[in-house]
Amino acid sequence: MKRMTLGAVALAFGLWGCGGSKGGNAGAGNSAVAQAGGSGAGAGGGAAGPTGNATVSGVIHFTGAAPANPKIDMSQESACQSKYTSPPTDPQYVVSDGKLGNVFVYVKSGLPVGATYPKPTTPAEIDQNGCLYHPRVFGVQVDQDIIIKNDDNVLHNIKALPKENRGFNISQPSAGMTSKRSFTKPEVMVPLECNVHGWMHAWVGVLPHPFFATSGPDGSFTIKNLPAGTYTIEAWHEKAGVQQQTVTVGAGETKTADFTFSAPKA
């Protein structure tokens, strides 16, 4: 069935979706930090997690030629295909001028053990539009609501495939439908897929704190409002793998943590 054929995507109105429309990072962490810092109280009954005014920022570099993104056959989904002005491709690699987008960057360790942060009152959103997920890579906090939208006048069936959390499988047969879900445990990353359109994939990082970001199309990211400390920063990409580095940042300081990825060897 052609609808199940793997392919690739280039959105006529933006490869990126809402995860990285600006040059900087577009992660959920920064807005979440503001909420955490404002309340000053943990939601889980443990010690309230500290915040501060330190920043870790950087750029995700990509060396070598980026692999060609697979083409997608949307000929059986005219409602989606009509949203593109050129043949859609699956944006596995978003590379521009040697910079890599859609990399999830987060604080893996260094925060006080047991510290908790209140979940954001603003939900995260993932949209199905043009038979692709927008954003493709994003982060949420534990128990933060995720609004799942369908902007296509076709059947979508979003399926979460976590290892630590409870999965879900939601059918949305028409445009304008929304559903709400959340995850109760930290997990990096939770894969999302569509059972109807085999090329549709997305990933969400679930964390107990708000210190995460997703690199924008220019490869940049910023994690703000950190307390002073020494942190392990991890960068994850769906094809290029995982990298870590240690960063020590003082109060009020901004430290740079650049990463360099390349295509995996065949």
Side-chain angles (χ1 to χ4, degrees):
M1 191 164 100
K2 289 185 178 180
R3 289 195 304 179
M4 297 297 291
T5 303
L6 287 176
V9 174
L11 263 189
F13 48 85
L15 272 176
W16 203 257
C18 50
S21 58
K22 298 180 180 179
N25 89 83
N30 294 333
S31 59
V33 166
Q35 294 163 19
S39 69
T51 60
N53 58 357
T55 299
V56 174
S57 64
V59 174
I60 311 297
H61 299 274
F62 189 87
T63 60
N69 288 322
K71 296 180 180 178
I72 298 176
D73 180 3
M74 288 190 190
S75 59
Q76 299 300 307
E77 295 291 13
S78 58
C80 289
Q81 191 174 39
S82 64
K83 296 182 177 182
Y84 298 89
T85 56
S86 59
T89 59
D90 185 4
Q92 297 174 357
Y93 288 92
V94 179
V95 178
S96 177
D97 295 328
K99 310 298 190 302
L100 180 63
N102 272 348
V103 177
F104 187 66
V105 186
Y106 69 103
V107 173
K108 184 177 179 67
S109 65
L111 293 166
V113 176
T116 61
Y117 293 83
K119 68 176 183 179
T121 56
T122 301
E125 287 190 1
I126 181 170
D127 191 13
Q128 297 157 110
N129 196 345
C131 286
L132 285 177
Y133 290 119
H134 307 277
R136 184 180 178 93
V137 178
F138 65 107
V140 297
Q141 285 185 236
V142 170
D143 292 326
Q144 182 179 359
D145 289 335
I146 303 171
I147 304 298
I148 303 165
K149 302 168 59 180
N150 183 6
D151 271 328
D152 292 327
N153 194 25
V154 300
L155 167 66
H156 285 306
N157 192 89
I158 187 168
K159 184 177 182 180
L161 299 166
K163 294 180 179 178
E164 303 296 332
N165 286 280
R166 181 175 181 178
F168 57 79
N169 195 352
I170 304 169
S171 179
Q172 293 185 331
S174 58
M177 296 189 68
T178 63
S179 304
K180 183 170 67 177
R181 292 292 187 276
S182 63
F183 295 105
T184 61
K185 300 177 182 177
E187 185 171 352
V188 178
M189 304 290 288
V190 176
L192 306 174
E193 64 182 31
C194 178
N195 288 149
V196 181
H197 308 100
W199 62 79
M200 291 181 65
H201 295 281
W203 288 265
V204 53
V206 186
L207 291 168
H209 59 72
F211 306 113
F212 54 86
T214 303
S215 65
D218 63 351
S220 68
F221 72 90
T222 302
I223 300 174
K224 296 181 179 179
N225 297 333
L226 278 163
T230 298
Y231 301 102
T232 298
I233 307 296
E234 183 165 280
W236 173 98
H237 184 266
E238 63 178 271
K239 293 294 183 181
V242 173
Q243 295 185 17
Q244 294 181 356
Q245 61 178 281
T246 300
V247 178
T248 298
V249 61
E253 290 184 336
T254 295
K255 290 292 182 67
T256 298
D258 292 342
F259 294 86
T260 300
F261 285 89
S262 58
K265 296 180 180 178

